Amino acid sequence: VEIQLSKLERVDIASRSINDFGRIIIVDSLEEAIGVVNEIAPEHLQIMVENPMEQLPYIRNAGAIFLGSFSPEALGDYIAGPNHTLPTSGTAAFSSPLGVYDFLKKSSIIQYTEEAFKAVADDIIVMAEAEQLTGHAES
């Protein structure tokens, strides 16, 4: 890290960022590393192992995932095309990169037959009454 920092034009800014927010986490196995990744939910993740695609199914929480030594984060920023608006500060655990779907309006559409509704009506009443929503129960 120190060698890489020394090569940067903005070494002061990068050093402050590393000192304030950087961490080096040493693990005993790739499996443990993936567990840490899924807990931290990084904005950017570069998987630099021999067969990175094999590890992809185990990654649940990361904003952008870069596979292999020839897919650096800058590739994603400038050339490859994925959105650069990513979930930060661990929010990749419950959020996705900004995408076209964020600009689409969606609606839920529900339609039951009379028979299907009658099969669940009593359950609806129980739940509505548990929430003290008698209007829902009456509906």
Side-chain angles (χ1 to χ4, degrees):
V1 173
E2 289 176 9
I3 292 168
Q4 291 299 321
L5 281 172
S6 71
K7 297 177 183 180
L8 301 176
E9 287 182 16
R10 299 180 350 167
V11 65
D12 293 337
I13 294 170
S15 293
R16 280 197 308 269
S17 181
I18 293 286
N19 290 330
D20 292 348
F21 305 108
R23 301 290 181 271
I24 295 174
I25 301 170
I26 299 171
V27 296
D28 293 324
S29 67
L30 184 56
E31 181 179 279
E32 187 179 355
I34 290 170
V36 170
V37 163
N38 285 326
E39 186 174 329
I40 292 172
E43 177 181 0
H44 301 95
L45 172 65
Q46 187 166 1
I47 302 176
M48 296 178 67
V49 297
E50 192 170 316
N51 296 303
M53 190 62 113
E54 291 176 7
Q55 304 311 315
L56 191 57
Y58 305 110
I59 304 298
R60 294 186 319 275
N61 299 324
I65 303 167
F66 300 86
L67 301 176
S69 300
F70 300 104
S71 302
E73 188 263 338
L75 178 70
D77 282 356
Y78 304 123
I79 298 294
N83 194 295
H84 188 60
T85 306
L86 300 171
T88 60
S89 301
T91 59
F94 57 83
S95 187
S96 302
L98 183 69
V100 69
Y101 42 83
D102 293 302
F103 298 95
L104 299 176
K105 184 195 170 297
K106 299 174 248 175
S107 298
S108 295
I109 300 170
I110 296 96
Q111 181 181 26
Y112 271 48
T113 64
E114 182 178 354
E115 182 180 309
F117 176 71
K118 285 182 177 180
V120 298
D122 289 339
D123 297 327
I124 294 169
I125 292 168
V126 168
M127 288 186 271
E129 288 176 347
E131 292 189 313
Q132 300 178 338
L133 298 174
T134 53
H136 279 43
E138 288 297 320
S139 73

